[in-house]
Amino acid sequence: GRYGMNVGQSTNATVSRNTIQNVITSDGAISSTNNATGIIISTGTTGSLVTRNKITGVKYTGTSGYGGKGIDINTGNTSSNVTLSNNFVSDIGGDGWNSLSGDAIVGIRISGTSGGFNLYHNTVNLAGTFAGNTSGTQSAALFINSAVTALDIRNNIFVASLDNSATASDKTWAINSAAANTAFTTINYNDYSVSGAAGVLGFLTADLVSLADIQTATAQDANSISVAPVFVSATDLHLVTASNCALHRRGTPIATVTVDIDNETRSATAPDMGADEYANSTAGTQLWTGAQSTNWFDVRNWNSCEIPGPTSDVVINGSLPNYPVVNANVTIKSIAVNPAASLTIATGVVFTLLGP
């Protein structure tokens, strides 16, 4: 069939904990209005939640210029109040086309005169090389059409590295918006990542090749990043714990999203971006690396990618690029500040050593 699920004319619907896989079509009856799609949120859907779903292997396998869609949204309502949270979207394919609003390959697409959508903690990965249609020049992890309004987009990971080897002019965007930046009520704390010859970080009136370009175009995204996530695989979008320190704890708390795709509790102060939340152990030896800054409370400065806690034995060695400055109270088990190293504790801060 062409669709995994089609939800329409629904109020207060919940679409949750589904695995939608291998939605594959190549029949001659396919058209621009019935591309292979994992989940469709269609006309009349309001006050609804799409959460903790895994969508993968949604593809057109013919040669006539079509592409799959992971989640396709067009409610026809500018006050939809629809939330997408904690969803995995991967392995969306086809031979491709030159219109994101039409038959191109798209992870999440929002279309029509629609609005009132919240995208929180989703992970989208468009990856791979394919020999497609020579007109298959466009694809995007997230596409927003021109009449869409009232968007709140936070704590997502959007990755695009698709490459159509049949044409040298193809582009794949992490985010592509045909709507003006006024469509974004809030857009921040997202990870935008692209790679390969076709990769372009974003589009909003023009191609945006850097994070700074995106921040200028949206006039927001101050806390968004551009870091290549390390997934378990191209279709298992759980984050590899030891390989994602630059991503870890970079999100912002959202009151309505307290667990991740696996029902694991999210940090109440600094959750992970994307659908997968993870935590490393803080027990035993924690090495200060100073890789990012002097900030004790930045996980990127610690070898464990976590802030030391009451069970941590902290070691600060010499010959490092930065040394810690502590501006808030800390409780750890022990600390060793070795020769040529330093530790600065701000006035008034309580630094507690619990000991053995």
Side-chain angles (χ1 to χ4, degrees), residues 311-338:
T311 59
S312 302
D313 296 302
V314 171
V315 177
I316 305 173
N317 290 317
S319 302
L320 296 176
N322 298 291
Y323 288 100
V325 175
V326 183
N327 291 308
N329 295 348
V330 165
T331 299
I332 59 175
K333 184 180 178 183
S334 69
I335 189 166
V337 181
N338 291 325

Side-chain angles (χ1 to χ4, degrees), residues 130-150:
F130 65 102
N133 194 294
T134 55
S135 295
T137 56
Q138 298 190 4
S139 61
L142 172 65
F143 173 65
I144 300 153
N145 218 338
S146 58
V148 175
T149 56

Side-chain angles (χ1 to χ4, degrees), residues 88-154:
F88 280 168
V89 178
S90 67
D91 195 22
I92 312 301
D95 66 332
W97 198 242
N98 56 18
S99 171
L100 296 173
S101 62
D103 299 316
I105 300 165
V106 183
I108 297 175
R109 183 173 73 170
I110 309 175
S111 302
T113 305
S114 304
F117 302 113
N118 307 311
L119 274 62
Y120 302 146
H121 287 287
N122 300 286
T123 301
V124 181
N125 185 36
L126 296 190
T129 299
F130 65 102
N133 194 294
T134 55
S135 295
T137 56
Q138 298 190 4
S139 61
L142 172 65
F143 173 65
I144 300 153
N145 218 338
S146 58
V148 175
T149 56
L151 298 169
D152 185 350
I153 302 177
R154 286 180 284 166

Side-chain angles (χ1 to χ4, degrees), residues 217-232:
T218 63
Q220 297 192 57
D221 277 303
N223 301 102
S224 292
I225 59 177
S226 182
V227 173
V230 180
F231 300 124
V232 171

Side-chain angles (χ1 to χ4, degrees), residues 245 288-294 298-302 320-323:
C245 197
W288 169 267
T289 66
Q292 186 68 26
S293 66
T294 63
D298 189 332
V299 296
R300 294 170 293 175
N301 289 318
W302 297 98
L320 296 176
N322 298 291
Y323 288 100

Side-chain angles (χ1 to χ4, degrees), residues 13-74:
T14 297
V15 181
S16 182
R17 300 173 65 184
N18 299 286
T19 297
I20 298 172
Q21 187 170 3
N22 297 334
V23 180
I24 297 173
T25 185
S26 62
D27 64 274
I30 194 169
S31 71
S32 295
T33 60
N34 63 8
N35 285 191
T37 305
I39 296 177
I40 297 175
I41 305 299
S42 59
T43 302
T45 302
T46 60
S48 296
L49 177 64
V50 181
T51 187
R52 297 177 60 196
N53 300 286
K54 298 177 182 178
I55 302 163
T56 189
V58 180
K59 301 178 181 181
Y60 168 72
T61 57
T63 59
S64 298
Y66 296 98
K69 313 290 185 289
I71 302 176
D72 203 12
I73 306 168
N74 184 350

